[in-house]
Amino acid sequence: MVRSTLAAVLLVVFASGAVAKDEPAPLAPIWTTLGTAGGPVTFAERSQPANLLSIGNDRMVIDCGDGCTERLAGAGVSPMAVRTVIISHLHQDHVAGLYGLIGLRWMMGAPTAITIYGPPGIDELVDGIERSLAPSEKIGLPSGARSPLALSDMVKVVVVNDGANVMVGGTRVRAVRNSHFDEGGQPAANGSVSLSYRFDANGRAIGYTGDTGPSDAVTRLFTGVGLIVSEAADLRAAEAAINAPNSPVPPAARAGLVRHIAEHHLTPAQAGAMAATAGARCLVLTHLSISGPTAMAAPALQADARGKFTGSISIARDLDRFVAPLPEARSPGDCAAR
């Protein structure tokens, strides 16, 4: 594994110029919600949090929860086609799919390394995955052939810090620390970091919250984006489930868990307020902390967000596809990619 670190801010130089009339229009970035569950609870309908950002043949996985490779297959994308992974934070529901993605790429004989970006600690996590795959590497491939790359060369890791600004291929990626791990409004004492990201490509911009509570830094980062992909937690449903007679949550832990969801996650109304302040055109709600089928919860989630945001609102399902509108588009519609 090759490690590097992005400093607080990386200076990036962008080329600009008019596009000739005979040149094809730039490819629009397509966002696919691979897994829309608010983990770490499992659902038959909603896989763990994972997303795919596609710009032509460039594929980035954004968070990689358990089941990511199966949902990639559902989207018609091979693990071999994924060259980049970007992780928001290191909770299990956002990273458990990395083991399968890295392992499958090695077993399929991927000729190039995958680069994984993530907050401090991502290098330690990936190192553990590589060490856990060592027995499989010792056995070798079923065909008897040798993989072009050793496991140690299969992954490059880039540690991302608050304020990072970097080009990944042709996409500008910016990150800020959000409030998911805050303690009394301050960064976590143990150094844990949760990040929100902005992606700019071909004149279009997408903001991705990851997991966060309300955050002025995130709202500023998203200013002017066309599409925001935000988590959404139904606090009433979550509290009822946590305190239900058959709840698996120990009684002593219930109040703290309810408080965590209320302070360190976003309700649909809070997501809508953020989108309105940022001037976004479309809001997609995912990482759904809800009970029951998505279709049953969707009307209430949409109504809560609608109270704060007048743009397009979508309640994501696994394998839904969205595209950010161009800034000059008068009516973005629902931002669904068709």
Side-chain angles (χ1 to χ4, degrees):
M1 175 178 65
V2 179
R3 296 177 175 86
S4 59
T5 301
L6 293 183
V9 178
L10 293 183
L11 297 179
V12 183
V13 178
F14 298 93
S16 62
V19 178
K21 291 182 179 180
D22 59 348
E23 290 184 6
L27 294 169
I30 304 297
W31 186 283
T32 304
T33 50
L34 298 174
T36 58
V41 183
T42 57
F43 301 91
E45 177 188 25
R46 299 184 292 274
S47 190
Q48 295 295 290
N51 304 273
L52 176 69
L53 180 58
S54 304
I55 306 172
N57 291 324
D58 291 339
R59 319 284 193 187
M60 294 186 207
V61 166
I62 316 297
D63 278 337
C64 190
D66 193 26
C68 178
T69 54
E70 287 77 11
R71 287 298 192 256
L72 282 171
V77 176
S78 165
M80 297 276 278
V82 177
R83 303 288 182 86
T84 305
V85 177
I86 297 179
I87 298 296
S88 65
H89 67 291
L90 303 183
H91 272 153
Q92 178 74 3
D93 54 322
H94 289 251
V95 300
L98 286 174
Y99 183 96
L101 182 60
I102 293 170
L104 283 174
R105 290 185 85 257
W106 175 76
M107 290 198 71
M108 296 169 74
T112 58
I114 189 170
T115 302
I116 300 177
Y117 297 79
I122 188 65
D123 49 350
E124 182 181 357
L125 186 146
V126 172
D127 183 63
I129 292 174
E130 288 184 341
R131 285 188 283 109
S132 72
L133 286 168
S136 294
E137 186 176 35
K138 181 179 179 181
I139 293 169
L141 300 178
S143 64
R146 292 178 60 87
S147 177
L149 294 177
L151 267 171
S152 59
D153 298 323
M154 183 63 66
V155 184
K156 298 177 182 178
V157 172
V158 180
V159 178
V160 181
N161 291 305
D162 180 29
N165 181 348
V166 65
M167 291 298 292
V168 179
T171 301
R172 183 185 184 189
V173 181
R174 285 176 276 179
V176 296
R177 183 186 66 81
N178 61 43
S179 63
H180 188 50
F181 294 146
D182 279 7
E183 300 168 349
Q186 299 299 316
N190 63 10
S192 296
V193 175
S194 177
L195 298 168
S196 298
Y197 290 96
R198 173 174 175 151
F199 304 89
D200 288 82
N202 297 335
R204 303 174 192 248
I206 299 173
Y208 174 62
T209 64
D211 286 10
T212 182
S215 168
D216 291 340
V218 175
T219 303
R220 286 193 298 270
L221 178 69
F222 291 172
T223 298
V225 303
L227 169 65
I228 290 178
V229 181
S230 174
E231 68 152 328
D234 183 335
L235 291 182
R236 293 182 294 272
E239 185 170 6
I242 290 168
N243 291 311
N246 61 345
S247 171
V249 181
R254 293 178 183 179
L257 182 56
V258 170
R259 185 170 59 252
H260 165 74
I261 295 173
E263 295 178 358
H264 298 135
H265 291 273
L266 292 174
T267 66
Q270 289 169 329
M274 172 186 61
T277 301
R281 310 288 291 281
C282 300
L283 174 63
V284 172
L285 299 181
T286 186
H287 193 284
L288 304 175
S289 297
I290 57 177
S291 59
T294 300
M296 289 182 60
L301 297 175
Q302 190 146 20
D304 284 351
R306 176 62 66 205
K308 300 292 185 179
F309 181 61
T310 60
S312 168
I313 301 171
S314 300
I315 312 302
R317 293 169 172 80
D318 287 18
L319 299 179
D320 279 353
R321 302 167 73 242
F322 303 92
V323 60
L326 287 166
E328 62 269 22
R330 291 185 178 182
S331 176
D334 59 6
C335 288
R338 296 179 174 87

